[in-house]
Amino acid sequence: YIRSQREEEIPLDAIRAGAKDQFDYSHHDYIDSQLTMIDIQEYIRKLRDENVQFDDISTRAKRKFDENYHDYIDGQLANIQTMIEIQEYIRSQREEEIPLDAIRAGAKDQFDYSHHDYID
């Protein structure tokens, strides 16, 4: 439901209201949690687009969102930071004209398994 509503670019508050109307009360906390995580991702993306530094993004996001989401914020920012490091690694290897297969192998050796799909 949430995904289909997001594809239609419906605002998060309207999605929240619609989901709570459509689904049983026992699922309302889950709905709030999922929509808050989407809101956090969009907020981080907006600040990144504005070239805000990671420390400032973390500070602003933690001020804006409930303490229960601070670990999620840290995780999102760590993931973004790792993706940037992977991009920089690949770029530096390409500048040295290293073959893509060797770059792929080197990146997979250097970065955690959870990032291997992103490397590919």
Side-chain angles (χ1 to χ4, degrees):
Y1 176 82
I2 291 172
R3 189 174 303 121
S4 71
Q5 298 298 295
R6 292 301 295 153
E7 288 172 359
E8 295 181 31
E9 298 182 13
I10 295 173
L12 291 179
D13 288 339
I15 294 172
R16 178 175 280 115
K20 286 184 175 182
D21 283 346
Q22 185 169 341
F23 296 96
D24 184 81
Y25 179 78
S26 64
H27 300 292
H28 288 193
D29 286 344
Y30 179 75
I31 291 166
D32 285 333
S33 174
Q34 291 301 300
L35 290 170
T36 299
M37 287 187 283
I38 291 169
D39 196 16
I40 289 168
Q41 292 167 4
E42 290 177 355
Y43 184 71
I44 289 171
R45 189 174 303 115
K46 176 182 149 284
L47 294 177
R48 292 275 304 135
D49 288 347
E50 294 173 4
N51 293 318
V52 175
Q53 297 298 311
F54 275 90
D55 289 343
D56 291 337
I57 292 172
S58 176
T59 300
R60 290 183 192 185
K62 287 178 179 178
R63 260 195 311 245
K64 180 175 176 149
F65 295 98
D66 185 85
E67 186 176 305
N68 294 329
Y69 293 96
H70 289 190
D71 287 343
Y72 181 77
I73 292 165
D74 290 339
Q76 290 294 304
L77 292 173
N79 231 6
I80 292 168
Q81 186 67 41
T82 300
M83 287 187 279
I84 290 169
E85 290 171 11
I86 291 168
Q87 291 167 1
E88 289 172 355
Y89 174 82
I90 292 171
R91 191 173 303 115
S92 72
Q93 299 298 297
R94 290 300 293 157
E95 288 172 359
E96 295 180 29
E97 299 182 12
I98 295 173
L100 290 179
D101 288 340
I103 294 172
R104 179 178 284 115
K108 287 183 175 182
D109 283 345
Q110 185 169 339
F111 295 97
D112 186 77
Y113 179 78
S114 63
H115 298 290
H116 288 191
D117 285 341
Y118 181 74
I119 290 167
D120 286 336

